[in-house]
Amino acid sequence: MSENAQTVRTMQAAVVNGFGGPEQVEIVRVPVPRPAAGQVRIRVAAAGVNPVDGAVRVGVFGGAGTRLGLGWDVAGEIDEVGAGVTGWAAGQRVVGLHYGPVKPLGTHAEYAVLDASAVAAAPATVDAVAAASLPLSGLTAGRAVGLLGLAPGSSVLVTGAAGMVGGLAVQLAVRAGLVVTALAGESDEEFVRSLGATEFVPRGSAPAGPVDGVVDAAVLGEPALGFVRDGGVYVGLRPHAGPAAERGIRVVEQEVAADGAHLAELVGLVDAGALTLRVAETIPLADAVKAHARLAEPGTRGRLVLTTA
């Protein structure tokens, strides 16, 4: 029976109808969405669970009184394209970013609709679970490193370097020719050095001297700004949460964008073996509450990923 027939196809999706702890996450059955002009529908294989999903759940972005969908990252297969879409067809494996904290449905569902401009061909060298860890973290890290605007040979400190975004930022900064100091927990020194960091600073300590720039993946704010030389650059990852500029330091508060072309570049690095992805645990969509409980646990290394199979 076609989707235009009287019987409406439905799917499972993770949503919140109220704010609070992990118990607020509900698995509901809703109609399968249709792609509008310029959009594609993806049959979801895997979807990353990010800290921003927890922020949506507790009400950081508002939306009280409405159903809010969860999930930004997606890896899966296109199963329908909207009018005017070129370059994409049903059956193609893709990854994408479903941008926006306040939306009725996200990627934590069996199907997701994204703008065609927000997707890229999936990596050929990793499975859908690993691929689902790339979009939000990779685009965030890539944009942050680009906004530094530093010449090769310049020094940069990455805070939270053992986290998902921080670890990708370390790799991308090294690839850009920057000399990277990684700030992370003492037990993570070997790992962050394996990503290419030249120097290591244990959490709670300061680097040996000022650096040209900071990517503040740990959202330290003013303490991280204090590590930057006069006239350097600080890049924050949380809009409207950065420290006030001082000493001629350029303070940039970046916000991620759903950019399929940039995502395709990152996919290319994954396939070339130049970018390492990490998955902490795979959890069935039906157990999304468990994933949100795990988000609050310290020391998680890699992305939690929901699967639909």
Side-chain angles (χ1 to χ4, degrees):
M1 183 174 291
S2 73
E3 293 185 51
N4 293 320
Q6 186 173 1
T7 301
V8 177
R9 292 175 61 199
T10 62
M11 67 175 188
Q12 287 188 319
V15 302
V16 292
N17 287 293
F19 300 139
E23 72 281 355
Q24 293 294 329
V25 178
E26 301 177 45
I27 302 299
V28 297
R29 187 157 287 279
V30 297
V32 174
R34 299 293 305 276
Q39 296 183 321
V40 298
R41 186 173 66 196
I42 300 168
R43 182 182 297 109
V44 178
V49 182
N50 293 277
V52 69
D53 295 308
V56 171
R57 188 196 72 233
V58 300
V60 169
F61 303 103
T66 62
R67 184 189 72 193
L68 299 176
L70 300 169
W72 294 48
D73 291 326
V74 64
E77 182 179 291
I78 292 175
D79 88 321
E80 186 177 349
V81 299
V85 172
T86 59
W88 298 112
Q92 289 180 286
R93 292 176 55 248
V94 294
V95 290
L97 181 69
H98 193 341
Y99 176 84
V102 179
K103 55 200 177 192
L105 291 172
T107 62
H108 295 172
E110 293 178 297
Y111 292 87
V113 169
L114 276 67
D115 290 341
S117 61
V119 303
T125 56
V126 300
D127 62 13
V129 169
S133 72
L134 176 64
L136 180 56
S137 295
L139 288 167
T140 300
R143 181 167 169 79
V145 171
L147 287 171
L148 287 169
L150 296 173
S154 300
S155 59
V156 62
L157 173 73
V158 178
T159 70
M164 191 67 191
V165 174
L168 291 171
V170 169
Q171 296 175 74
L172 292 168
V174 170
R175 184 171 179 81
L178 304 179
V179 179
V180 177
T181 297
L183 189 154
E186 289 187 13
S187 62
D188 293 312
E189 179 175 1
E190 181 179 356
F191 170 70
V192 296
R193 287 189 183 276
S194 76
L195 299 179
T198 302
E199 303 294 335
F200 174 77
V201 178
R203 187 182 300 117
S205 301
V211 293
D212 296 316
V214 162
V215 172
D216 191 13
V219 198
L220 299 181
E222 288 187 9
L225 186 74
F227 302 147
V228 182
R229 65 165 172 81
D230 294 358
V233 57
Y234 166 99
V235 178
L237 305 187
R238 186 176 296 173
H240 315 300
E246 61 179 47
R247 297 184 287 114
I249 296 171
R250 179 168 57 92
V251 173
V252 182
E253 297 176 343
Q254 74 108 347
E255 185 166 359
V256 72
D259 184 341
H262 186 187
L263 184 55
E265 294 175 6
L266 296 170
V267 167
L269 293 178
V270 172
D271 281 340
L275 204 57
T276 299
L277 303 175
R278 292 176 291 154
V279 173
E281 183 179 355
T282 58
I283 300 170
L285 173 63
D287 294 332
V289 170
K290 175 184 175 183
H292 278 254
R294 286 276 281 119
L295 270 180
E297 296 176 5
T300 300
R301 294 293 176 256
R303 183 62 62 227
L304 299 168
V305 177
L306 296 177
T307 57
T308 60

